[in-house]
Amino acid sequence: MKVRPAREDEIEPLTQLFILARNEMHYLPRVPDEAAVPIAARIREHEEVWVAEEDGQLLGFLGIEHSTNLGAPVLEKIYVEPTEQNRGVGTLLLEKAKELRPQELYLWVFQKNDGARRLYERHGFQL
């Protein structure tokens, strides 16, 4: 498994991965099909997008951008293919984000997303 910068031709598959993973969060409304185009545009806007892959398969991705509100970098997206969760993909991506922004990095997480909250807390993030 490796982490590398995303390519432009991967934005559409990453958008589908995002939608699939997000729709697994049963406490949120489903992402409608027509949202794919704006989601892809939003992913393209991130300063950096990195993917985790294994044998050519996209397993997950992260997106970092600089928040004008915080004046600091924010891990805006970190999503893992649902069938690949609990294999260390999220940890690998989170470690890459921390490597990219070692001085300061913020993120937000849904309160009901217990697995993600545990992951972030294990890696030193605080509420």
Side-chain angles (χ1 to χ4, degrees), residues 20-102:
L20 184 64
R22 177 82 186 315
N23 283 343
E24 291 289 314
M25 298 177 193
H26 301 292
Y27 46 86
L28 296 173
R30 292 187 59 76
V31 178
D33 293 339
E34 60 271 13
V37 171
I39 290 168
R42 184 74 180 104
I43 291 171
R44 281 186 183 92
E45 290 175 3
H46 294 314
E47 289 174 17
E48 293 191 60
V49 178
W50 290 71
V51 299
E53 74 168 356
E54 187 173 58
D55 299 326
Q57 179 186 355
L58 296 175
L59 306 178
F61 75 101
L62 67 85
I64 297 175
E65 65 183 52
H66 190 82
S67 168
T68 54
N69 292 339
L70 291 173
V74 176
L75 179 59
E76 281 289 326
K77 289 184 178 55
I78 184 168
Y79 284 90
V80 175
E81 169 77 38
T83 60
E84 300 297 331
Q85 292 176 2
N86 299 311
R87 285 193 48 220
V89 178
T91 294
L92 193 62
L93 290 166
L94 188 55
E95 288 299 321
K96 176 51 101 176
K98 289 169 53 178
E99 174 188 318
L100 293 168
R101 300 297 189 280

Side-chain angles (χ1 to χ4, degrees), residues 6 10-19 43 49 51 58 60-61:
E10 293 173 322
I11 299 301
E12 298 307 321
L14 294 178
T15 300
Q16 293 308 311
L17 187 154
F18 168 87
I19 292 170
I43 291 171
V49 178
V51 299
L58 296 175
F61 75 101

